[in-house]
Amino acid sequence: MIPLVSIVIPFFADPYVPIAVQSALDQTYPNIEVVIVNDGSPSHEHLLEPYLGDRRVVYLKKPNGGTASALNAGILAAKGDYIAWLSSDDRFYPWKLARQLAYMIPRHARISCSDYDVIDENGNVTQPCAGLKFPTYQEFCRTFLTGNPINGCTVVAQKRLLEEVGLFDVHLPYTHDYDLWFRIVLSGVDFHYVPESLIQYRVHAAMGTKRHMPAILEETERTKSRWAAAMNQFIQRL
């Protein structure tokens, strides 16, 4: 039997959420569950009602605790062998999981990320293949010393790997993913790259990245400082 993949969608007051959920359900990969985590959303919950009768959908509600806590709740509830993360304002291409799992399984890859396209608020592609590219794994790791090189919604990971290294740090409202990628790389697990755009990353006026940029930059510096010495040592050994 092919592995089950759990797509975790954290949700908080986002009008784009039906597009995200539909893109998860439209995967050509045949063995999925979609875990929607309502993180105490004050609005737009009614947009999820058409999907809650689908047997593949698991719907969780929790008090507001931030994206990291919502992701962790979804991962803990997930039954899948693999976890994929989809932000409620982004969109998977229908072939995302089929292509990514076809890459990972023969290579025994425990985690991978991919390229992505940028879209605007209306879903128009404004920048194809927008992800950073690296000639070597050493260069990929070195980029962690300047910022987060990975779009979290391109990632597919073994659930067991996430359990081993620990889930997202709920005390990091903005860099919980950056921190987790550091921990995975430094554990010695290869972070594979699929050279194909497999998601659409939406840039719009209401996105948290724009609204909270000063706080994000400050927290990024703190997270980077926490792991920089260990990453430098790791890079020297590659």
Side-chain angles (χ1 to χ4, degrees), residues 1 3 14 25 40 75 92 94 132 135 140 147 150 178 180 229:
M1 185 176 179
D14 187 354
L25 293 172
I75 293 167
F92 282 173
L132 298 174
F140 168 72
I150 298 167
Y178 188 31
L180 179 57

Side-chain angles (χ1 to χ4, degrees), residues 6-26:
S6 299
I7 304 168
V8 178
I9 304 177
F11 164 66
F12 183 83
D14 187 354
Y16 292 109
V17 68
I19 298 172
V21 173
Q22 191 63 56
S23 78
L25 293 172
D26 285 345

Side-chain angles (χ1 to χ4, degrees), residues 68-88:
S69 72
L71 285 167
N72 288 350
I75 293 167
L76 291 171
K79 297 181 176 66
D81 305 288
Y82 293 86
I83 302 293
W85 162 18
L86 176 57
S87 292
S88 58

Side-chain angles (χ1 to χ4, degrees), residues 3-53:
L4 175 66
V5 180
S6 299
I7 304 168
V8 178
I9 304 177
F11 164 66
F12 183 83
D14 187 354
Y16 292 109
V17 68
I19 298 172
V21 173
Q22 191 63 56
S23 78
L25 293 172
D26 285 345
Q27 290 298 296
T28 60
Y29 186 85
N31 196 17
I32 65 166
E33 68 170 2
V34 180
V35 183
I36 305 169
V37 184
N38 182 335
D39 188 38
S41 179
S43 63
H44 300 302
E45 183 180 14
H46 67 283
L47 298 174
L48 297 171
E49 291 174 1
Y51 303 99
L52 301 186

Side-chain angles (χ1 to χ4, degrees), residues 16-158:
Y16 292 109
V17 68
I19 298 172
V21 173
Q22 191 63 56
S23 78
L25 293 172
D26 285 345
Q27 290 298 296
T28 60
Y29 186 85
N31 196 17
I32 65 166
E33 68 170 2
V34 180
V35 183
I36 305 169
V37 184
N38 182 335
D39 188 38
S41 179
S43 63
H44 300 302
E45 183 180 14
H46 67 283
L47 298 174
L48 297 171
E49 291 174 1
Y51 303 99
L52 301 186
D54 193 303
R55 60 176 180 78
R56 297 170 293 173
V57 172
V58 177
Y59 186 50
L60 308 177
K61 297 180 71 171
K62 61 181 284 298
N64 180 251
T67 303
S69 72
L71 285 167
N72 288 350
I75 293 167
L76 291 171
K79 297 181 176 66
D81 305 288
Y82 293 86
I83 302 293
W85 162 18
L86 176 57
S87 292
S88 58
D89 53 356
D90 294 339
R91 178 179 178 270
F92 282 173
Y93 284 117
W95 52 86
K96 184 252 193 330
L97 293 181
R99 301 269 180 90
Q100 205 154 351
L101 270 291
Y103 174 97
M104 291 177 69
I105 291 172
R107 293 170 173 82
H108 305 287
R110 304 193 70 188
I111 189 168
S112 73
C113 59
S114 77
D115 209 341
Y116 62 92
D117 296 335
V118 175
I119 59 173
D120 64 17
E121 59 186 8
N122 298 312
N124 302 305
V125 175
T126 58
Q127 186 180 356
C129 301
L132 298 174
K133 315 296 190 298
F134 307 97
T136 65
Y137 194 68
Q138 188 177 55
E139 287 300 315
F140 168 72
C141 292
R142 188 171 287 116
T143 303
F144 275 81
L145 300 173
T146 57
N148 185 357
I150 298 167
N151 182 316
C153 293
T154 72
V155 171
V156 174
Q158 287 182 344

